[in-house]
């Protein structure tokens, strides 16, 4: 047994530059505790760690300090209340993406047994959240990456959610029709300096051409032929891209074009419906 207590380990991690929540999540992982068990750390802050636990925790903190997402280090991330397994084959699901899920559930509320496609599913976060909330839905999750689909399929199997999966480039080869198509595609400009801080995540799921809109343009061009009358296309995008995405949707013939704000109040999702929609 080492002489390092839980409180001391957390203090040392924060002194090394880690955010308090990150330090806590990693320590809970080392101790085999649930990720929402932070209150337990306070009650047991005087407990001593084993030497092996100290070594493991120190190594994880060093990797986090070099930019590796906590989700990759622990192998798990909660999204829409669902515990997902994640690793470097997929993006670390962000809480702001729940804005897209909530909006999709709104536009699907009046549809019995809705048909939904999630493009670029990654870990399956969006598709699984929608299937969980709408057991009657027919949800298809598409990704170009076989590695990503392996992660998503494993999550679906573990959660017992009957999402269907297909490998492909956006809607190419996908027939439809769908009542909603949702996507959190790559949207960062290829030369954006912020990519340097995201080197641990798959680049193909992050960057999209010179202005970050290359994949969004492709999806908007493909979607009308796959949407049912009144069906919605909902897209997540960058903090400064709402106006550009709205213009692309209008140019493609979409109605009711609008944006939704994320948890920080930023216009993060934009969508529109095919002609014939009931106003939302």
């Amino acid at each position: 047994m080492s002489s390092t207590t839980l409180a001391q380990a957390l203090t040392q991690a924060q002194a090394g530059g880690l955010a308090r929540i990150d330090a806590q999540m990693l320590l809970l992982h080392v101790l085999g505790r649930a990720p929402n068990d932070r209150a337990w750390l306070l009650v047991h802050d005087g407990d001593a760690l084993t030497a092996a636990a100290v070594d493991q925790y120190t190594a994880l903190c060093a990797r986090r300090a070099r930019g590796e997402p906590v989700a990759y280090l622990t192998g798990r991330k909660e999204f829409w209340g669902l515990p997902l397994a994640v690793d470097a084959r997929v993006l670390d699901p962000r809480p702001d993406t729940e804005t897209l899920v909530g909006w999709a559930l709104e536009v699907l509320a009046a549809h019995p047994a809705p048909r939904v496609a999630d493009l670029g599913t990654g870990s399956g976060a969006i598709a699984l959240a929608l299937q969980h909330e709408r057991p009657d839905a027919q949800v298809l999750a598409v990704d170009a990456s076989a590695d990503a689909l392996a992660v998503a399929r494993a999550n679906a199997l573990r959660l017992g959610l009957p999402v269907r999966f297909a490998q492909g480039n956006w809607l190419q080869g996908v027939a439809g029709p769908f009542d909603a198509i949702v996507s959190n595609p790559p949207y960062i400009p290829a030369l954006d300096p912020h990519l340097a801080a995201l080197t641990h995540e798959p680049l193909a799921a992050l960057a999209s051409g010179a202005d970050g809109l290359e994949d969004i343009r492709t999806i908007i061009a493909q979607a009308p032929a796959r949407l049912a009358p009144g069906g919605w296309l909902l897209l997540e995008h960058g903090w400064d891209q709402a106006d550009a995405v709205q213009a692309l949707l209008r140019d493609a013939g979409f109605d009711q074009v609008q944006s939704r704000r994320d948890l920080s109040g930023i216009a993060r999702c934009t969508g529109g419906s095919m002609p014939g929609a009931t106003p939302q």
Side-chain angles (χ1 to χ4, degrees):
M1 186 70 70
S2 76
S3 60
T4 302
T5 66
L6 272 61
Q8 290 169 335
L10 289 170
T11 298
Q12 290 167 9
Q14 291 176 257
L18 265 65
R20 178 175 175 80
I21 182 64
D22 290 354
Q24 291 175 325
M25 294 291 282
L26 292 177
L27 187 54
L28 287 168
H29 174 67
V30 167
L31 296 171
R33 308 289 306 188
N36 59 353
D37 213 0
R38 284 182 284 159
W40 183 90
L41 292 176
L42 296 175
V43 175
H44 293 267
D45 64 354
D47 291 5
L49 291 164
T50 65
V54 170
D55 289 344
Q56 183 185 1
Y57 185 60
T58 301
L60 288 174
C61 288
R63 291 170 63 187
R64 177 63 188 131
R66 291 194 293 269
E68 259 186 272
V70 171
Y72 292 174
L73 298 174
T74 64
R76 62 193 180 197
K77 183 67 172 281
E78 186 172 291
F79 181 86
W80 201 263
L82 299 175
L84 302 178
V86 297
D87 58 35
R89 292 174 289 177
V90 297
L91 285 185
D92 174 11
R94 271 66 167 179
D96 285 329
T97 300
E98 293 187 355
T99 302
L100 194 65
V101 174
W103 193 0
L105 291 171
E106 286 182 30
V107 303
L108 294 171
H111 290 273
R115 300 153 297 178
V116 187
D118 171 30
L119 308 182
T121 195
S123 65
I126 295 170
L128 293 168
L130 293 173
Q131 188 74 79
H132 175 73
E133 293 294 330
R134 290 295 304 269
D136 61 327
Q138 302 172 48
V139 182
L140 174 67
V142 182
D143 206 292
S145 166
D147 285 341
L149 286 173
V151 175
R153 283 193 176 101
N155 278 323
L157 182 62
R158 185 170 45 80
L159 294 170
L161 293 170
V163 170
R164 294 181 297 117
F165 296 93
Q167 185 173 2
N169 183 27
W170 305 126
L171 286 161
Q172 188 173 4
V174 177
F178 298 100
D179 299 302
I181 296 171
V182 298
S183 182
N184 177 19
Y187 53 72
I188 301 176
L191 299 180
D192 191 307
H194 293 95
L195 285 172
L198 300 171
T199 54
H200 295 280
E201 299 187 70
L203 180 63
L206 292 165
S208 183
D211 62 357
L213 295 172
E214 186 174 300
D215 291 295
I216 286 176
R217 287 191 187 92
T218 299
I219 294 168
I220 291 174
Q222 294 176 345
R226 276 82 166 185
L227 282 168
W232 281 78
L233 173 62
L234 306 178
L235 299 162
E236 183 169 335
H237 51 70
W239 66 273
D240 59 349
Q241 294 172 331
D243 289 345
V245 177
Q246 284 194 15
L248 290 169
L249 287 166
R250 291 192 182 98
D251 288 346
F254 283 86
D255 288 340
Q256 304 185 71
V257 174
Q258 57 194 273
S259 298
R260 292 290 177 93
R261 299 186 181 277
D262 64 14
L263 301 174
S264 302
I266 296 168
R268 178 68 63 181
C269 301
T270 295
S273 65
M274 293 305 296
T278 301
Q280 296 291 327

